[in-house]
Amino acid sequence: MSDDRFETRLTLASRRPVKSHGYVNPKLVRGSTVLYPSCADRREIGKRRLEQEEIYGLYGSETHFALESMIAEIEGGTHCQIVSSGLAAITIPLLACLKSHDHVLMPDSVYGPTRRFCDSVLHRYGVRVTYYDPMASECDLRGLIEPGTKVVFSESPGSHTFEVQDVPMLARVVHEHGAKLFMDNTWGIHTFKPFNHGVDVSIQALTKYIGGHSDIILGAITVASESDWAWLRTGALDLGQYASPDDCWLALRGARTLKVRLDQQAASALTIAKWLADRPEVQRVLHPALPSCPGHMFWKRDFSGACGLFGIVFEPRFDYEAVCAMVDSLRLFGIGASWGGYESLALPTSFTITRSEGTGVFGGEMLRLQIGLEHVDDLINDLEAGLTVLRGQQRTSCASSPCLADEMQRIGEANG
C-alpha cells in the first residue's frame, strides 16, 4: 500500500480491506464507559494508554483511532492525537512541552488566537515568548535563541500575510540548540511534508480541508518519533482533551475527497490570483505560488502544490470602507473567518493583523480570499463586479483619509 499514490491511499486508509465482508466505512462509536472481562484485564489494558486501545471514552474509540491513522498517513508521521479544535491542536503541545521560565520563539505572522494564547496563558504561567520576523535570516534566528529556548514555532504560510518560511533552515538551527520545531501546517495539508523538512510536531486544523464542508470543529497533532509521542499523548490526556466521535466520523468522510477538492480549489485560486495580479486596483497578490509573495522561493523548493487561500493588497487609494463596500457587494463570496470548505469567502484583514516586530505592513488595505468549488469564471465575474464597486469608493488623496501605513503607525504609537 505504501507504493500507492496519494488518492488511492486516501480511499484505503483506516478501513477494512477492499474485499472484506461488511460496510465500506468504519463505524461510528460513541461511548464513555468501557467494560472489561476481569479486573486483571482492566489493569493490563490500562497500561497501554500510548496505544490505540479502548480504555475509557476519553482515550478514544475505534472512530478516533481511524481518523488518527488517516491524518498520520497524510502528514507522513507515525502517531496522531485528535483534539477538539484547531486552536487546541496549537495550545495542547505548547502546554505539554513547556514549563515556567522556558522560552518560545513565535513568528510575528502567527494566527491571532495563537498570539493571544501566548500573551495571556503562557505569560501567566511564566513562559517567555519572543516574536520574530517570519522572514528572519539564519543569522537573525541564531541571535534570538536563548539557553532556555525550548520551542520554535512556525506557521508557513503566515496567517493573513502568507509569508513562506525557510523551514529546513529553522529545523537545522532549532535542533542544533536542542529545541523542538512546531509547525502549523494547515495551509500545506498534503502539499508540504513536515517531517521530511525537520519539523518535530505538525499541527492541523481539521476544520478546514479535511472536513471540507464547514460543519465540524477539530484539530490534529502529528509526530514522527516515539519520544515525542510519549509527552504529547500524555499531555493531551492529562489536559482532558477529547474530540466528538461524530465530528471524527465526518472528518474521515471528508478526507476521502481531500485530493480532488484540494486540486480543484488550488487551481481555481491560482487562476484568480493571476487575474487579480493584472488588475490596476491591486498592488500585490500574496499567493505563495507567485513571486510577489514573501518566501515564494521556499514554496517553490519545498511544496508540491498550494490550496485555495491567499491574500491581496489593494492600491493605497482605496481605504478600508471601500474594501468593505466591495466585499458587501459580492454575490458568491460569503463573509466569514474560516476556510477550507466548499464555499468561497472574502474577509478584509487590515485590522485583524497584529504585529510587534514591524512585519506585515504592505502599504495598502488587505483582503483574504478563500476559493471554493464554484466555477472559476463565475467567481471572476463576481470579483470584477466587486472591483467596479471598489473604484466607485476611491479616495482622491491621503489628505482626506489617513493612509493605512499612517494609521498603523498611529496605532503603534498609541500602544507605546
Side-chain angles (χ1 to χ4, degrees), residues 4 11 15 33 45 49 51 119 207 218-219 228 237 266 268 275 284 344 376 391 397 404-405:
D4 292 329
T11 67
R15 68 182 184 91
T33 299
I45 293 174
R49 59 187 296 180
E51 302 173 27
D119 293 345
T207 307
L218 275 179
D228 284 334
L237 293 177
S268 294
W275 177 79
R284 190 175 186 183
S344 290
V376 65
R391 291 194 302 274
S397 72
L404 175 66

Side-chain angles (χ1 to χ4, degrees), residues 105 132 136-145 152 169-170 173:
L105 283 174
Y132 68 95
S137 67
E138 181 171 340
C139 181
D140 293 335
L141 186 69
R142 290 183 182 278
L144 293 171
I145 291 182
V152 174
M169 179 273 287
L170 293 176
V173 175

Side-chain angles (χ1 to χ4, degrees), residues 70-330:
M70 169 74 84
I71 301 305
E73 171 87 13
I74 293 171
E75 290 274 72
T78 56
H79 298 284
C80 174
Q81 175 71 47
I82 299 297
V83 292
S84 58
S85 68
L87 182 57
I90 294 166
T91 61
I92 293 301
L94 288 171
L95 288 172
C97 184
L98 298 168
K99 64 182 185 304
S100 182
H101 304 301
D102 282 346
H103 178 242
V104 177
L105 283 174
M106 189 69 59
D108 205 29
S109 55
V110 76
Y111 176 53
T114 305
R115 180 185 288 265
R116 190 164 60 241
F117 175 80
C118 290
D119 293 345
S120 57
V121 178
L122 290 188
H123 176 74
R124 191 162 65 245
Y125 291 156
V127 175
R128 295 178 299 108
V129 179
T130 299
Y131 294 97
Y132 68 95
D133 186 336
M135 303 310 297
S137 67
E138 181 171 340
C139 181
D140 293 335
L141 186 69
R142 290 183 182 278
L144 293 171
I145 291 182
E146 305 174 4
T149 303
K150 294 296 187 292
V151 171
V152 174
F153 200 95
S154 169
E155 182 181 307
S156 181
S159 187
H160 297 312
T161 45
F162 297 94
E163 296 93 340
V164 183
Q165 296 186 268
D166 186 351
V167 175
M169 179 273 287
L170 293 176
R172 184 176 66 256
V173 175
V174 166
H175 294 154
E176 284 178 10
H177 289 81
K180 293 190 178 296
L181 179 61
F182 291 9
M183 181 177 178
D184 186 334
N185 190 37
T186 304
W187 192 95
I189 183 76
H190 166 57
T191 64
F192 182 85
K193 299 301 183 186
F195 305 109
N196 291 349
H197 298 286
V199 173
D200 297 297
V201 177
S202 185
I203 292 159
Q204 285 285 344
L206 305 186
T207 307
K208 314 304 192 207
Y209 282 106
I210 292 292
H213 294 77
S214 302
D215 56 3
I216 64 171
I217 301 289
L218 275 179
I221 314 157
T222 307
V223 296
S225 77
E226 296 298 323
S227 59
D228 284 334
W229 176 240
W231 63 259
L232 173 63
R233 173 70 168 169
T234 300
L237 293 177
D238 289 349
L239 290 164
Q241 260 301 307
Y242 182 73
S244 160
D246 296 74
D247 282 355
C248 290
W249 191 88
L250 286 171
L252 273 168
R253 185 173 69 172
R256 305 298 180 189
T257 61
L258 170 67
K259 184 65 163 60
V260 291
R261 287 185 288 103
L262 192 60
D263 285 353
Q264 179 62 50
Q265 289 174 262
S268 294
L270 187 56
T271 297
I272 292 170
K274 290 178 177 178
W275 177 79
L276 285 167
D278 291 333
R279 296 290 307 200
E281 303 90 350
V282 174
Q283 178 192 124
R284 190 175 186 183
V285 177
L286 303 175
H287 189 301
L290 298 183
S292 55
C293 189
H296 164 71
M297 71 289 293
F298 302 133
W299 174 86
K300 190 173 181 180
R301 181 191 68 191
D302 298 336
F303 286 70
S304 62
C307 71
L309 189 77
F310 67 96
I312 59 176
V313 183
F314 291 103
E315 288 289 339
R317 64 181 182 273
F318 302 111
D319 60 17
Y320 181 76
E321 288 71 24
V323 174
C324 287
M326 171 192 167
V327 171
D328 288 345
S329 74
L330 296 175

Side-chain angles (χ1 to χ4, degrees), residues 311-359:
I312 59 176
V313 183
F314 291 103
E315 288 289 339
R317 64 181 182 273
F318 302 111
D319 60 17
Y320 181 76
E321 288 71 24
V323 174
C324 287
M326 171 192 167
V327 171
D328 288 345
S329 74
L330 296 175
R331 184 175 63 89
L332 299 178
F333 288 80
I335 305 171
S338 193
W339 47 278
Y342 61 86
E343 79 291 356
S344 290
L345 301 171
L347 186 69
T349 55
S350 292
F351 292 101
T352 64
I353 296 172
T354 302
R355 296 288 190 268
S356 59
E357 296 302 308
T359 67

Side-chain angles (χ1 to χ4, degrees), residues 8-43:
T8 304
R9 299 203 310 272
L10 282 179
T11 67
L12 297 177
S14 299
R15 68 182 184 91
R16 294 185 181 93
V18 175
K19 292 185 178 180
S20 67
H21 177 263
Y23 291 108
V24 171
N25 292 305
K27 61 188 177 184
L28 169 58
V29 178
R30 302 186 190 93
S32 55
T33 299
V34 175
L35 300 179
Y36 300 85
S38 68
C39 292
D41 287 321
R42 181 178 184 275
R43 184 174 182 180

